[in-house]
Amino acid sequence: MVNNIMAEYIFILGNNAELSRAEIAAVFPEAEVLASGQDFLVAQLAELNCQSALNRLGGTIKIGQGLGREISVDKVEQKIMALAKSGKVNFGLSYYGVKPGNLGLAIKRRLKERGISCRLVVSRDRALSAVVVKKNKCLDFIVVPKWWGLTGAVQDFEAYGHRDFGRPKSDSRSGMIPPKLAKMMLNLSQTDFKEKILDPFCGSGTILAEAAALGYTNLLGSDLSIKAVTDSRDNLNWLLDELALSGVSVDISQSDARDLGQRFARHSIGAIVTEPYLGPPLTGREGPRRIRAISSELEDLYQAALGQFVKILKPNGRVVMVFPQWHLAGQTHQLEVKAVGFVRRDSGRLIYRRPRQIVWRQIRIFEKQ
């Protein structure tokens, strides 16, 4: 944050909007929400740098500064004139929760009447994607019900792709958590960057990598699989070199999550952020009996892990943890686990899913009593 001047900002949310809203509230607890829709949130908070804020958030696609309540040709024209430099001006309008009109064409005509070379950037969708905005280097005006603004930053899709697909090691069976979700979960932990962050099911090291990218400096990981441990180490070393990060402590070793109390001292960990084993791949033809058998096995693992977490976490430390939620034949199945020694801090509606997925990720947040 730059100063205490209050301003209005429009956050364009990702596909899992409830999770995106929760992340914004965790990172900016002082924000006053003025409006919220299916894919956007308008909030008032102290003046911020849009790009820095978006780099911090994993579930937000764009951030724009609010410019007023009602958009008009005159207002957009004035803004473009104030920002226009020599050469051609590219601009576009992105509509969220409102139907697009002919505003863009009217603005284009007005600008050309003034002798300004311009191009109206459009797409098949109502809103311009982050890819379109970045590749066309255009002024992107956001329009939501009763507010409008100008995009200040778009999600760095290239950086996420590079960290996901450019890393040296990957394993579809042990490390499939998306980097954006990993970042959201870390933010939901609301943990100081100097605290120790532990992922006891580290897989390919995605959560630890996103923690390093965010600025955490004490990273701990473990996994029952020695391959996962090796992969995580290699991926973390690669990332630290790619981002030229220094002063980051990384300790990753082989360990069973059910025996963490033997490796870590009591009350020594600031937060645990993790995605455990979610069960075997499914075809979609499994019946309730098969799902009950899988969930019973996983409940034992999750229950035992939580029993270890409560021992090693500091007071008020948080666990942010993925739980599988199965959606088959119109029915929802999920784990029933008792988190003894914890208070549940999530709404129960924090879901990360993609189209046609059978297993959804439910994010649960536990705080040590």
Side-chain angles (χ1 to χ4, degrees), residues 299-317:
E299 283 170 355
D300 291 343
L301 172 63
Y302 282 50
Q303 191 77 66
L306 283 165
Q308 296 295 303
F309 296 170
V310 75
K311 295 177 183 179
I312 62 177
L313 269 177
K314 290 183 176 181
N316 302 316

Side-chain angles (χ1 to χ4, degrees), residues 23 51-58 156 158-164 167 178-184 186-187 191 193 195 197 205-220 232 235-250:
E23 182 191 25
Q51 189 62 65
S52 296
L54 194 57
N55 291 344
R56 174 72 189 274
L57 299 168
D156 193 345
E158 291 176 334
Y160 281 114
H162 183 58
R163 293 204 295 274
D164 196 5
R167 57 187 177 175
K180 294 176 188 178
L181 176 57
K183 182 181 284 189
M184 284 189 272
L186 287 158
N187 284 326
T191 307
F193 287 146
E195 288 285 358
I197 296 289
T206 303
I207 289 174
L208 297 177
E210 290 306 308
L214 274 173
Y216 287 96
T217 55
N218 287 288
L219 310 179
L220 301 169
S232 292
N235 286 338
L236 261 294
N237 289 333
W238 170 82
L239 183 75
L240 295 179
D241 183 60
E242 284 285 303
L243 300 183
L245 297 175
S246 60
V248 180
S249 173
V250 180

Side-chain angles (χ1 to χ4, degrees), residues 4 34 43 57 71 97 100 114 130 132 151 166-167 200 211 224 230 240 297 308:
N4 292 323
L34 304 177
L57 299 168
I71 192 170
R114 289 181 173 271
V132 170
T151 295
R167 57 187 177 175
L224 188 59
T230 302
L240 295 179
E297 179 182 350
Q308 296 295 303

Side-chain angles (χ1 to χ4, degrees), residues 167 171-179 204 206 275 354 361:
R167 57 187 177 175
D171 186 342
S172 61
R173 295 186 62 85
S174 67
M176 289 294 288
I177 185 170
S204 296
T206 303
E275 177 176 89
R354 288 172 175 165
R361 290 174 166 99

Side-chain angles (χ1 to χ4, degrees), residues 126-185:
R126 293 183 177 184
L128 303 181
S129 69
V131 176
V132 170
V133 172
K134 186 172 182 178
K135 288 188 174 181
N136 288 276
K137 299 179 180 179
C138 68
L139 298 175
D140 177 40
F141 292 94
I142 300 173
V143 186
V144 301
K146 299 183 180 179
W147 268 276
W148 71 288
L150 177 64
T151 295
V154 298
Q155 195 173 71
D156 193 345
F157 55 91
E158 291 176 334
Y160 281 114
H162 183 58
R163 293 204 295 274
D164 196 5
F165 302 110
R167 57 187 177 175
K169 299 292 180 63
S170 63
D171 186 342
S172 61
R173 295 186 62 85
S174 67
M176 289 294 288
I177 185 170
K180 294 176 188 178
L181 176 57
K183 182 181 284 189
M184 284 189 272
M185 292 173 63

